[in-house]
Amino acid sequence: MKKQQNVLIIGAGLCGSLLALRLGQRGYNVSVYEMRPDLRKTKISAGRSINLAFSDRGSKAIQLVGMGDQVEKLCIPMNGRMLHDEKGDTIMSKYSGREHEYINSIPRGELNALLLTEAEKHENVNIHFNKKCLSVDFEKTTVLFEDYQTKKEFVEDADVIIATDGAGSALRKSYYLANKFLFSFSQEYLTHGYKELSILPAENGGYKTYKNALHIWPRGNFMLIALPNLDGSFTVTLFLSYDEGDYNFNNLTTPEKVTEFFQKEFPDTLELMPNLVDDFFENPTAPLGTVKCSPWHYKGNTLLMGDSAHAIVPFYGQGMNASFEDVVEFDQVLDQNLDSWEAIFETYETNRKKDTDAIADLAIDNFYEMKGHVANPIFQDKRKIEMALEKEFPQDYSSKYSLVTFNEDIGYREAMLRGRAQDKAILNMLSDGLISSSDDLNILLKKITDATNAILEDDKIAGLI
Amino acid sequence: MKKQQNVLIIGAGLCGSLLALRLGQRGYNVSVYEMRPDLRKTKISAGRSINLAFSDRGSKAIQLVGMGDQVEKLCIPMNGRMLHDEKGDTIMSKYSGREHEYINSIPRGELNALLLTEAEKHENVNIHFNKKCLSVDFEKTTVLFEDYQTKKEFVEDADVIIATDGAGSALRKSYYLANKFLFSFSQEYLTHGYKELSILPAENGGYKTYKNALHIWPRGNFMLIALPNLDGSFTVTLFLSYDEGDYNFNNLTTPEKVTEFFQKEFPDTLELMPNLVDDFFENPTAPLGTVKCSPWHYKGNTLLMGDSAHAIVPFYGQGMNASFEDVVEFDQVLDQNLDSWEAIFETYETNRKKDTDAIADLAIDNFYEMKGHVANPIFQDKRKIEMALEKEFPQDYSSKYSLVTFNEDIGYREAMLRGRAQDKAILNMLSDGLISSSDDLNILLKKITDATNAILEDDKIAGLI
């Protein structure tokens, strides 16, 4: 590919700004158009969630663009899940039996700002704010924008257009509405929505509860989680059904009822959140949806990346990591020096889609696991065994969570298939009394490995994988 | 529910006309609006496929409205699949080991005509043709129509609106575009499309090939099928990739290439289809898609039924049967005398959606099985064992195909779970040499039943079903 090609990127969020930086480093002429104002100059929300989980797949992308040190300063390590029961008692469940494996809480806005600044250091990268994409003509490779300041519409063209404009992507909408090719598309909502709340910093500026954990209050049909911020606060998220159960978003309509709900279900949070009722009625309730589609590209003209191609629910903490990994995968395809953008886009989608489909499904699995199973005895036994195996055999065993989160050199699909088979093997052997968490670890490793391989082999013979 | 309620049905296809008849029998005031002319008076296509597979679930619905004898006259029994190999040799693979279990080929147009005539015998049922639904206001319970003859638009209201307007449903589109509630929706296309061809009757008016079978030419990546018609012809369908493989819809652009393709892959069809090239270039190529969505209803105002709620690919021969079964299920909910349309719609969707999701997935499974696996030795061994078990133990064993097709008293989802587990059990035991098709049938039944139950139990413990 000629390096002086003009690439137009729609959206300067996390994926778009990382992509702009990487393509800038590779020498392309990159123009980025973002509908929001520059978040480095205006105090605005950078998107829906204030902080995000950042782990190895995201980190690999950040290393690729040489920003590891800068980004590390924004990270708060979370070594495990701190589970809070109804009485307010807590138990810490580590993410891995390997000490060096943990995830991080990172502020979306600051990370986005760093990426924008780094991208703009390249004179071949230009970022334009307050320019909203109205539609994409994917036959002509042009975009219609509206300038939010002048209120004028204008058209830009480019050699290729890459849309990193998120779950509500204008390009994806153009694909769907144009009806010019067979476009497979799905949007699936959970019955639950979410609302952000907050634990403010202590008066001394410290953290009111344990800093280095992802806090979870699992309650079966709903849950509360909290991630730490650099300023001593925590961003808290309530995941709750819109209309099922005794308490739901549709019937929590008065301060009394909200307080009653938290008093009954999350009593230890009332002291941490004196601001609960204000937050609850000020902040919006938002839906949780999964978007999949195919194809991601139209010929060699346009391509969807990040959430625009594969929006997922947040329960695996992989949304940003998956979008960053898109950039790594795309970069690897660029390294192959294919002879057309169409070949590049086609190869990228073929390599990548199986993995983003997998993380979408894994994220939904984890919704059920987090709100329910973490409190289930057989799942706790499984977790205990897996922690011990990871500690004793760091090279030979990884749980599904570790495969997904800490093994950036295997794809999400492989992590899903192996991880699900392992889970099935362990749960069934525990249930049948064939293993117990007090067994010798060498024997456990062998039994679990053998049973996992047998499950994978059986599924293969039956044509299921 | 008050019987004098006004029900407006959009679409007088197979599902809509059966529903109109049943609701007419129950005493509702039913108005049906259909965009096409009356197919009893005009020679038009009643829809895309000329003939359809009609089996026990559809038959149960036809019995419900008392039309068993009339409909039986339209049926041509197909006792099994007649497989044609590359040399033109054939082998008959029966659908069931039980003699009385077979499927039928039935003409879409004639069946639809019968249903319309029967529905119109009820003075409380009125059917209006040439009225195209443009949009549905599901808040006001009104429909905007265009009269194709006068070109005028008009609005109709009703107590409830039921859309049976097929895979391209206007009501479903209104749900999607209105953005007034969370609407989960998917459309998934296969990489393959289809084209209809025909084997004309013999000069003496008879059938040029065996009448009582569904003919299949399975070729791994593509296939041809043929179903008999009452006039001695067969409707033939080619399922082929749009753009993959040596021959595909995109590159079959000349008579020479089409003939070469059929000569090479389906040599025995050339004699049967002297009209091949004309048919090929006259008939359209159409896509194969699956549509799922939820919710099907909006409050107690509007409801999707049939293909508008769940369009499936044709490979299980269950499209019409599933839509007819919708009417049976809906009728059973009406029998419960619930106190509002909202409760009726909610109950109906809760009962039914799991089953229509299952048949959608089963139909895609069968695409792979029909074009590939039917020619695979291990699948042939499985089929042989299952035929023998069904014959020997008619009360105790049913293959997945029989569970889906001939067991109308269990839902599609139960048929799918048990059927898939059985398939997995048999394929794995065959592959591991634990059973063979020459084993004693009593032992085979016990081994297969035990292994199937173990698979279901393992999946349950792992939370997979």
Side-chain angles (χ1 to χ4, degrees), chain B residues 432-449:
Chain B
D432 295 346
L434 299 175
I435 57 172
S436 101
S437 55
S438 55
D439 287 355
D440 174 88
L441 288 173
N442 286 286
I443 292 173
L444 278 173
L445 179 65
K446 177 154 176 37
K447 281 187 177 173
I448 292 169
T449 306

Side-chain angles (χ1 to χ4, degrees), chain B residues 84 198-200 208-209 217 267-275:
Chain B
H84 297 244
S198 56
I199 297 173
L200 299 176
K208 282 189 189 165
T209 182
W217 292 255
D268 57 332
T269 65
L270 290 180
E271 198 185 337
L272 300 171
M273 295 196 287
N275 48 312

